[in-house]
Amino acid sequence: MTASHSNPADRTAPRDADEPFSPGGAGAVSDSAHGAGRPARRRFGAAVWAALVIVYVVWGSTYLGIKVVVETMPPFLSAAARFVVAGLLLAAFLAVRHGPSVLRVTRRELGCAALVGLLLLVGGNGLVVFAERTVPSGLAALLIAVVPAWMVVLRTAVGDRPGRGAYGGVLLGLAGLAVLTLPGLSGDVRISGVLTVMAATVLWSVGSFSSSRLPMPKNPFVASAYEMVAGGLGCAVLAATRGEQRGLDLSAFSTRSWIALVYLIVFGSLVAFTAYVWLLHSAPLSLTATYAYVNPVVAVVLGAIILGETVTWPIALGGAVVVAGVCLIVSTERRA
C-alpha cells in the first residue's frame, strides 16, 4: 500500500484519531457547498475504505495462519522473525522510494514508536500467537472482538464521549461475542489460553489508543516500520527468556508452517498492519476498531471453508449481531 498525495504524514503533528478531517486531508470531503451554517458531515474517501477492507479480510485470515505456524514453530520466535523481517523490508522500501532521510526521526518519536510497537506486537499479537497453541483460531478471533469496548473505556477515561450510537454498537458487539463464544468454551479449551487472549486485547487497545496521542513519527509508514522492528525484537527477548532457541531444528518446521509464516510477513504485516497504522492516523479510532467485529466473521467463514468447521446457529446469529454493531458504529462516525 502506498501513500496518497494527501498523506497525513505531511502534517506537522500527529492528529488525534477522532479529530475531524481537515480540508485536503486523507479522505476529506467538504460539505460546505451544501449550505453555510449547516454542520459539515464527515465522509470517508476510497483510501480509508480500501484500508478497512484490507484489515477486515487479511487480518481475519491471519488467525488461521498463526495456528498453522505454531503447529511446528516456537510462538515468540516465529513472531519475532515475522515482525523484524517485515519491518526491515518496509524500511528498505521507504528508503529506496523516498531516500534514506525519510527514516530520520527524533529520539522521542523513536521511543514512542517503540513503545507502541511493544504494546501492539508483543503484548497484543505476541500473546495471541502464544495462546493459539491451545486456543482454536476461530475462538481467538472471537475473543479479540472485545477490543472496541476497551477503546470506548479508554476514550471515556480521558473525557471523550463517543456518542450513544458508538456505545450501542459496542453493546451489540459484546452481545454477539457472548453468543459466539459461550458454546466454544464448553470444549477442551484451557482457561489460561482464553485469559491470555483477553490480556492481549487490553494491551492492543492501549497501544492503539496511545498511538493517536503520543508524538509519533509524522510518516505513518515510517512509524509502522519502527513499530514492527521494536515489536519483533521484543518477541525475540521473550523467546530467549523462554528458551525457544534451545535445540532449535529448522528441518523440523513443516512446509505449511513456512508458507504460513511468509503469508503473515507479507500480508499480515507489510500489507494489513501498515494499512492499520495508516488508518490510526487517517480515520476515527472507533471506526478503525470495527475490524475487531468483522475479523471473527471472516475467521469463522475461512474455518468452515478450509478446515471444514461446522457453522452452527450460534455462529450464524452471533455473526449477524456483530455485523449489526459494525454498521451502527460506522453510521455514528459518519454522522459525527
Side-chain angles (χ1 to χ4, degrees):
M1 179 177 175
T2 58
S4 64
H5 294 295
S6 56
N7 194 314
D10 296 332
R11 297 168 184 164
T12 58
R15 177 184 64 81
D16 183 89
D18 287 282
E19 174 187 336
F21 290 123
S22 59
V29 177
S30 174
D31 276 342
S32 58
H34 292 286
R38 293 177 58 185
R41 181 177 179 179
R42 189 183 311 176
R43 294 180 181 175
F44 304 126
V48 170
W49 292 113
L52 277 172
V53 170
I54 290 173
V55 174
Y56 284 171
V57 176
V58 175
W59 267 356
S61 68
T62 56
Y63 294 96
L64 284 175
I66 291 171
K67 189 69 175 178
V68 173
V69 166
V70 296
E71 285 177 351
T72 61
M73 293 183 175
F76 285 113
L77 201 57
S78 62
R82 169 187 173 183
F83 294 122
V84 169
V85 171
L88 292 178
L89 287 176
L90 179 57
F93 171 79
L94 293 170
V96 170
R97 181 169 182 181
H98 302 288
S101 61
V102 73
L103 300 175
R104 189 175 301 136
V105 297
T106 67
R107 289 185 178 180
R108 188 178 183 188
E109 290 172 342
L110 180 61
C112 290
L115 173 61
V116 170
L118 292 173
L119 288 169
L120 291 177
L121 301 179
V122 180
N125 190 276
L127 290 182
V128 171
V129 175
F130 182 75
E132 282 203 37
R133 298 175 307 151
T134 58
V135 175
S137 61
L139 179 57
L142 297 172
L143 293 171
I144 296 297
V146 77
V147 164
W150 299 129
M151 294 289 196
V152 171
V153 170
L154 291 171
R155 292 175 62 189
T156 303
V158 298
D160 192 9
R161 296 295 180 268
R164 293 182 180 179
Y167 287 117
V170 169
L171 291 176
L172 274 177
L174 292 176
L177 178 64
V179 175
L180 285 163
T181 59
L182 289 179
L185 293 177
S186 61
D188 297 329
V189 179
R190 294 182 183 177
I191 188 62
S192 59
V194 173
L195 293 177
T196 299
V197 176
M198 296 303 292
T201 65
V202 175
L203 293 172
W204 182 275
S205 300
V206 172
S208 298
F209 184 78
S210 300
S211 70
S212 67
R213 297 175 180 272
L214 293 175
M216 301 289 289
K218 299 176 180 63
N219 188 316
F221 301 102
V222 172
S224 178
Y226 284 125
E227 287 168 16
M228 284 193 284
V229 172
L233 293 177
C235 287
V237 171
L238 281 181
T241 301
R242 298 186 66 250
E244 291 183 359
Q245 76 282 4
R246 296 172 190 162
L248 190 66
D249 183 8
L250 297 182
S251 64
F253 299 162
S254 68
T255 300
R256 57 187 265 147
S257 288
W258 280 113
I259 294 174
L261 181 61
V262 171
Y263 176 83
L264 292 174
I265 291 173
V266 176
F267 293 97
S269 296
L270 284 176
V271 177
F273 183 70
T274 302
Y276 178 74
V277 170
W278 182 82
L279 282 168
L280 290 175
H281 287 251
S282 309
L285 185 58
S286 52
L287 174 60
T288 302
T290 59
Y291 77 89
Y293 289 158
V294 181
N295 283 174
V297 178
V298 174
V300 168
V301 171
L302 291 178
I305 295 175
I306 298 175
L307 302 179
E309 297 174 348
T310 303
V311 179
T312 61
W313 73 263
I315 291 176
L317 177 60
V321 173
V322 295
V323 170
V326 170
C327 293
L328 182 55
I329 290 179
V330 170
S331 63
T332 300
E333 288 299 323
R334 295 189 67 181
R335 290 194 300 267

